[in-house]
Amino acid sequence: MQTGHWGTVLLLVPAFVTGFAGSKALGGSWHASLGLAVLALILARLLLRVVSRMAAISVRLSSLLYAALYSIAIMLALTGLTAGQRSPFTPPPSAFGLQLPQIPVVPTTVGARAHTALAYLLLALIGVHLLSLLARRLNGERGVLARMLPFGRYRQH
């Protein structure tokens, strides 16, 4: 980061000199060129700063993402129980040959809507999870996918 800092200083000094001297004395193109060079360097520095901080932020975000994935998966199963109930006159739903419990607290339509909304939310979070895997790979981290796969071998280089 020190290189970027001193590079900016080295560009700002002549930009100020050419700006104060006036465009006619030293040529306005020098001032504009130096100003654009300062802009490019500062934008590059900001980008590097954001990318370097993303590693620390991604650790916190991944914890939140996992908490959201687990919570939504649990809520999805519970709302699925309510969405499967038809009426008191139809037999209750079953799974794995077992009769599922009736949950009379939640109306069927509410449970079905909540179940559908949670399913879409879970799909979106899975997409974010996959994008974070891609981002970590593009950031130079290796072995992330191998650690996730059930039979993947992870070798640290």
Side-chain angles (χ1 to χ4, degrees):
M1 282 299 204
Q2 286 182 335
T3 305
H5 170 78
W6 289 110
T8 304
V9 170
L10 289 174
L11 289 171
L12 278 174
V13 170
F16 275 116
V17 170
T18 57
F20 286 130
S23 59
K24 293 181 182 176
L26 295 173
S29 64
W30 275 103
H31 181 71
S33 298
L34 289 166
L36 288 175
V38 168
L39 175 66
L41 187 56
I42 288 175
L43 290 176
R45 289 179 65 198
L46 284 173
L47 181 65
L48 285 173
R49 186 173 288 247
V50 167
V51 169
S52 66
R53 287 192 179 171
M54 284 179 72
I57 292 170
S58 71
V59 172
R60 288 187 217 128
L61 289 178
S62 68
S63 297
L64 290 173
L65 179 63
Y66 280 113
L69 285 168
Y70 292 139
S71 300
I72 291 171
I74 290 168
M75 290 187 292
L76 196 59
L78 294 175
T79 57
L81 287 173
T82 63
Q85 300 177 32
R86 300 284 182 244
S87 74
F89 305 108
T90 60
S94 63
F96 302 110
L98 301 172
Q99 186 175 352
L100 296 175
Q102 292 279 21
I103 304 175
V105 178
V106 180
T108 303
T109 56
V110 172
R113 286 183 184 144
H115 189 70
T116 301
L118 287 168
Y120 283 120
L121 183 58
L122 185 63
L123 282 175
L125 288 177
I126 290 170
V128 170
H129 181 63
L130 293 174
L131 286 174
S132 69
L133 172 69
L134 177 63
R136 290 175 75 175
R137 178 65 181 117
L138 292 175
N139 200 26
E141 193 173 339
R142 294 178 169 246
V144 178
L145 184 59
R147 287 193 308 260
M148 292 171 64
L149 295 174
F151 302 107
R153 285 191 248 162
Y154 175 65
R155 292 181 294 144
Q156 195 167 11
H157 297 288

